Amino acid sequence: MIDPPPNDNEAKPAKVKREAASSAGGYKQRWQRILARSTIGAGVLFLAVHALGLTFAVMPIQGTLNMMMRPDGTKLRHDWVPLEQISPHLVRAVIAAEDSRFCEHGGIDFDALEEAIEDNQAGGRLRGGSTLTQQTAKNVFLWNGGGYARKAAEAWLALYIDSIWTKRRTMEVYLNIAEWGDGIFGAEAAAQLRFGKSAADLSREDAALLAAVLPSPNKWRVNPPGAYVRGRANTLTQRAQVVENEGLDRCVLK
């Protein structure tokens, strides 16, 4: 008895199933490779950033991602100087403006963060609870802008650098890489270009003006200051005196 020839219509479903299974397997393998590479890449990046943190504990920082991301054609000015060559008036003004509990927290001020959340939920003026340490971490390792991923990285890095840097070093780094508008980074460049003097020679009034514009350095001007900046600077001059009187700068200025 002769077997009937194979029925192509019956063979096709099995062939389709084999091809589908092969395709699914290949798709799964591709995603496994992508996941593995992403995990390795994230691990390498994690180690590199933490190694940089150790290096930056002692070495001057000559460039950051924020500096590189300035618009084309922007002339960058950045002159690193040690903290000894920056006026203590600026240290106190910045603490008064940005983080009055700088010497007390461990990188994140959870009390200030809770207060900010409560104020925002109550419908008051939106404000953040970002510390000087968090701002330093952002300015050194990350980029401007929002997003939960960047905020989470900022918080982790703030805790990290607070554990390996001194408060004095954190302040030194912050004052040397903070932006004061127009591609001006650091207290020395800001003092030279805004007041025609070195950062060491900044007066109380000069320091208060520089601290007053830090939240929006490309929007608010130091020279000449508008009514809002002038008023804020006057307030910061008084607050900086409180910082000095109550020793809120003790971890930086000995």
Side-chain angles (χ1 to χ4, degrees):
M1 184 175 184
I2 300 175
D3 293 334
N7 189 330
D8 289 344
N9 291 331
E10 294 179 356
K12 284 181 180 180
K15 181 179 180 182
V16 169
K17 289 181 180 179
R18 288 195 300 271
E19 291 177 348
S22 176
S23 177
Y27 183 78
K28 182 178 180 180
Q29 289 176 356
R30 284 196 297 272
W31 273 108
Q32 287 175 337
R33 288 195 296 268
I34 292 172
L35 180 60
R37 291 170 183 171
S38 300
T39 302
I40 293 171
V44 171
L45 180 61
F46 180 87
L47 293 175
V49 168
H50 284 69
L52 277 177
L54 290 171
T55 302
F56 290 159
V58 294
M59 297 292 291
I61 301 173
Q62 300 298 344
T64 66
L65 186 60
N66 274 339
M67 295 180 191
M68 292 186 289
M69 292 178 67
R70 296 299 297 152
D72 292 340
T74 301
K75 182 179 180 180
L76 296 182
R77 285 293 304 270
H78 177 231
D79 304 301
W80 179 281
V81 294
L83 191 62
E84 292 80 5
Q85 296 179 27
I86 298 176
S87 170
H89 295 312
L90 185 58
V91 172
R92 297 185 185 110
V94 166
I95 289 176
E98 300 292 308
D99 189 358
S100 62
R101 291 193 281 252
F102 176 67
C103 290
E104 300 172 13
H105 61 67
I108 298 176
D109 188 344
F110 291 101
D111 290 336
L113 186 60
E114 184 177 354
E115 291 171 7
I117 293 173
E118 290 176 354
D119 286 352
N120 295 342
Q121 289 178 341
R125 181 177 62 87
L126 292 178
R127 64 187 183 93
S130 180
T131 65
L132 280 172
T133 313
Q134 287 174 264
Q135 294 178 48
T136 302
K138 179 198 72 175
N139 290 341
V140 172
F141 300 105
L142 303 171
W143 59 93
N144 288 324
Y148 291 115
R150 203 225 67 189
K151 283 292 185 181
E154 175 188 297
W156 170 256
L157 289 168
L159 294 171
Y160 174 63
I161 65 175
D162 193 80
S163 69
I164 62 172
W165 297 3
T166 64
K167 292 286 188 176
R168 185 176 172 83
R169 176 59 176 177
T170 299
M171 179 64 73
E172 182 177 58
V173 171
Y174 177 83
L175 291 178
N176 271 287
I177 62 173
E179 184 179 3
W180 267 284
D182 303 326
I184 301 170
F185 290 87
E188 181 64 21
Q192 293 285 356
L193 293 172
R194 299 308 192 203
F195 302 109
K197 61 178 71 172
S198 69
D201 296 327
L202 290 169
S203 67
R204 292 179 187 272
E205 293 73 22
D206 298 333
L209 282 169
L210 287 178
V213 302
L214 276 173
S216 300
N218 290 296
K219 175 182 176 182
W220 298 336
R221 311 299 300 181
V222 170
N223 188 18
Y228 174 78
V229 170
R230 175 63 68 184
R232 177 171 164 79
N234 290 338
T235 300
L236 290 179
T237 300
Q238 299 172 23
R239 290 182 181 175
Q241 188 62 58
V242 174
V243 169
E244 182 177 6
N245 293 342
E246 296 187 4
L248 301 180
D249 56 358
R250 63 188 178 279
C251 61
V252 181
L253 303 174
K254 300 176 181 179

